[in-house]
Amino acid sequence: MKTLFAFLSCKRGNVAMTSAMVLVPLLAAIGGAVDYSRTYSAVQNAQAAADSAVLAAFNGDKKKWRTRKAFANTVFHSNIRKNGRLQDLSGGLSGRMVGTKAVMTYEAKAKVNNIFGGVTGRSEQNITIRAQAEYDYETNGPP
């Protein structure tokens, strides 16, 4: 009993013990912040590429739907940064007429690799990007 009381009242080595206890949550917070910033950067990059793709579908003299779709995919994939963050990238252009308006939507899905997420079992994050543009034929004439 006397030894236990002496052990519990000892003040030596408290800095090492406190540092060890704080280190685990601190590293988890830093890892989470790094993974979040990588995912956010990948989402912003993919969103900009999708915005460019949907606007490119209206551009030029591409009258056929197949040609517009292929051009949008080309623009999307040429604008997306290939930095190893995005895996299983898929997507495409869809469109419809609403009255006199042509509405085109580019939607893409991908997985973002996490560096520290593997420790918690989340080694990847699924993202979905959607960009939409409208063109009014009655107001603007043919594109």
Side-chain angles (χ1 to χ4, degrees), residues 13-120:
N14 271 348
V15 171
M17 184 177 67
T18 304
S19 297
M21 290 173 50
V22 169
L23 191 61
V24 172
L26 181 63
L27 287 176
I30 291 170
V34 168
D35 283 344
Y36 177 80
S37 67
R38 285 173 50 87
T39 301
Y40 183 78
S41 173
V43 166
Q44 293 302 312
N45 178 27
Q47 184 66 54
D51 290 343
S52 297
V54 77
L55 291 174
F58 282 115
N59 191 15
D61 59 348
K62 294 162 284 301
K63 303 292 184 201
K64 293 183 180 172
W65 174 249
R66 187 177 7 197
T67 309
R68 287 179 188 267
K69 194 171 183 177
F71 187 62
N73 284 330
T74 300
V75 169
F76 178 78
H77 287 287
S78 65
N79 283 317
I80 199 91
R81 276 189 238 134
K82 307 279 194 276
N83 54 14
R85 292 183 192 170
L86 295 176
Q87 303 296 323
D88 301 333
L89 182 63
S90 65
L93 184 71
S94 63
R96 66 186 194 286
M97 289 297 292
V98 179
T100 61
K101 291 182 182 178
V103 179
M104 292 195 191
T105 305
Y106 198 94
E107 186 169 289
K109 294 181 180 188
K111 294 179 181 178
V112 180
N113 292 332
N114 292 331
I115 296 175
F116 297 98
V119 175
T120 61

